[in-house]
Amino acid sequence: MLEDLTIKDFAIIESEHIEFSKGFTVLSGETGAGKSIIIGAVSFLLGGKAEISQIRAGCHEASVCGTFVIPQKGAASEWLSEHGIEPENDRILLRRFVRDTGKSGAWIGAVPVTRTDLADFSAFLVDIHGQHDHQSLMRVPEHRKFLDARAGITEEVAEFTVLYTAIVEKRKLLAQLDFSDAERARNIDMYTFAVNEIEEAKLSPGEDESLEAEESRLSSFEKLYAGIESVKTLLDGGESGIIPLLKKARRESQQASSFDRTLNQLDSRLESAFYELSDISEEFSSYSQKLVYDPVHLSEVQERLSLIYNLKKKYASSQSAPLQEVFDYYEDAKRKLEQLGAGGQDKESLRVEITAL
């Protein structure tokens, strides 16, 4: 319920404070008395458009405040609780302004809010009929909510909704179990085959990506080996290699820095480069020694990849799809088997549950 309204410099209103008593209130007056302006101010307070034209001529800011009585239980109270706003004495103050600079602001209680939040919250408080917004009374699906609230049965309706949702789901499941036995048997066979085939594959998350990398390495053995050998030769391949040349450069650098200490920092950097490249060369050598062509392992990897690609072709959107899609299909197939009765679902017990609900 709107308890009071304060309007300042809005349209042609300089300052007005209106208090509403409990019950039915009527504002009457001749054309031009300002009835529509008061409705416009309320609409502005509830989250309507904020325009510079709403500011009284010669002023810099228009503002509207309103105090609302909030029931302790209800949608409005729940909204405030969800947004961490506490009413005082079951009342909440709404405040909004617009300035001639175009800036506007709104508060619910002491909390600044967006226009969208203001409109969402105020929808629980006020309905305005006419050429304005907030016409939830015109929406037929909303009628039952108002009737339930008036009857004081909102909590009972919420409990009923939970039960009704449960019974609808179970009736749908029973209908699935009751369709053609032949079609049901075909679906059970199809999902059972899929579940068994995927289980037998013993897939691991990300296995396809690691196998593809392994397959690329093994099938490109000759190019990989030749590349590693070329790197080793360039780094440490006799006197023309980078490391032997760096070694000579180090000796010259050490001698030069012994004559001029300002070269010490450069000599240290050259020494660091020498040791870093020497370490890199050793790691390439170590990698080269472990590099062995294994056609048997390559065949095993390609065979495993072929199995995974076939599973993706059957149970995923494409062969290049993520392996996770196969896992998703597997879980979905198991759920459908349970719904079809293959997982021990008893139609008679389901009927008993529906009757009880």
Side-chain angles (χ1 to χ4, degrees):
M1 164 184 157
L2 177 59
E3 192 171 61
D4 60 59
L5 186 69
T6 301
I7 306 170
K8 186 175 181 181
D9 295 329
F10 186 89
I12 62 172
I13 297 177
E14 179 180 358
S15 181
E16 189 65 59
H17 179 74
I18 308 171
E19 293 188 1
F20 299 91
S21 58
K22 201 169 185 180
F24 185 59
T25 299
V26 176
L27 301 178
S28 64
E30 62 184 16
T31 301
K35 303 184 299 297
S36 296
I37 294 176
I38 292 176
I39 296 300
V42 173
S43 180
F44 169 75
L45 178 63
L46 300 177
K49 288 185 178 179
E51 299 175 344
I52 297 176
S53 60
Q54 294 167 323
I55 304 173
R56 192 167 70 93
C59 299
H60 300 291
E61 178 181 297
S63 64
V64 181
C65 300
T67 304
F68 290 84
V69 178
I70 306 294
Q72 292 183 352
K73 292 184 178 180
S77 180
E78 290 177 3
W79 191 97
L80 291 174
S81 178
E82 289 173 0
H83 291 77
I85 303 174
E86 291 290 335
E88 295 183 10
N89 299 322
D90 297 332
R91 286 165 174 75
I92 195 74
L93 176 68
L94 269 59
R95 182 162 60 96
R96 195 172 184 212
F97 75 85
V98 59
R99 294 176 182 155
D100 56 4
T101 59
K103 182 179 179 181
S104 64
W107 285 262
I108 298 178
V111 179
V113 295
T114 63
R115 176 189 169 191
T116 301
D117 285 340
L118 181 63
D120 287 345
F121 173 64
S122 63
F124 300 119
L125 305 178
V126 175
D127 250 309
I128 297 180
H129 274 264
Q131 66 268 34
H132 301 282
D133 297 326
H134 300 277
Q135 298 182 29
S136 65
L137 282 175
M138 301 297 289
R139 297 194 293 269
V140 175
E142 299 292 322
H143 292 179
R144 197 196 69 213
K145 295 181 181 178
F146 291 118
L147 185 61
D148 293 340
R150 175 63 179 166
I153 59 170
T154 303
E155 292 185 5
E156 290 86 342
V157 169
E159 294 172 359
F160 172 81
T161 301
V162 173
L163 292 174
Y164 185 77
T165 301
I167 198 171
V168 167
E169 290 178 352
K170 291 188 180 296
R171 282 175 176 168
K172 183 179 179 181
L173 178 55
L174 183 60
Q176 291 175 340
L177 296 176
D178 283 337
F179 70 81
S180 165
D181 288 341
E183 186 175 353
R184 176 170 168 269
R186 281 196 298 272
N187 285 337
I188 289 176
D189 287 343
M190 178 182 70
Y191 291 127
T192 299
F193 178 83
V195 168
N196 291 337
E197 185 175 32
I198 295 173
E199 284 181 347
E200 289 174 2
K202 296 180 179 178
L203 302 172
S204 301
E207 182 181 3
D208 53 339
E209 295 179 359
S210 61
L211 285 173
E212 286 170 353
E214 181 76 357
E215 195 266 345
S216 174
R217 184 180 67 82
L218 291 171
S219 61
S220 304
F221 175 82
E222 290 184 4
K223 292 181 179 179
L224 179 61
Y225 182 81
I228 296 299
E229 288 300 309
S230 178
V231 170
K232 286 169 57 183
T233 300
L234 288 170
L235 286 174
D236 198 11
E239 293 184 359
S240 61
I242 295 173
I243 293 175
L245 290 174
L246 268 177
K247 196 171 184 179
K248 292 179 181 179
R250 276 195 65 216
R251 286 198 297 267
E252 298 296 333
S253 173
Q254 286 175 336
Q255 185 176 3
S257 61
S258 67
F259 301 133
D260 186 351
R261 293 184 178 181
T262 61
L263 296 173
N264 285 345
Q265 186 175 3
L266 287 174
D267 181 57
S268 297
R269 290 170 62 187
L270 186 61
E271 183 180 15
S272 297
F274 171 76
Y275 285 122
E276 177 68 14
L277 285 173
S278 296
D279 186 59
I280 291 172
S281 177
E282 289 177 5
E283 290 192 21
F284 268 111
S285 296
S286 177
Y287 179 88
S288 176
Q289 292 172 5
K290 296 176 182 177
L291 197 60
V292 178
Y293 179 62
D294 189 346
V296 175
H297 183 48
L298 174 61
S299 177
E300 292 172 348
V301 169
Q302 291 174 334
E303 185 177 347
R304 182 67 175 172
L305 277 174
S306 177
L307 170 65
I308 291 175
Y309 291 151
N310 286 334
L311 291 175
K312 286 185 178 182
K313 187 176 181 180
K314 288 182 180 180
Y315 307 120
S317 57
S318 67
Q319 286 186 336
S320 59
L323 189 58
Q324 183 60 42
E325 288 189 17
V326 177
F327 290 118
D328 293 341
Y329 184 93
Y330 171 76
E331 295 298 330
D332 186 57
K334 288 202 300 182
R335 282 194 298 271
K336 288 179 177 176
L337 279 175
E338 292 178 0
Q339 293 175 354
L340 290 167
Q345 178 69 45
D346 186 352
K347 288 197 292 183
E348 190 56 40
S349 66
L350 195 55
R351 290 192 180 95
V352 171
E353 290 179 24
I354 292 172
T355 301
L357 286 169

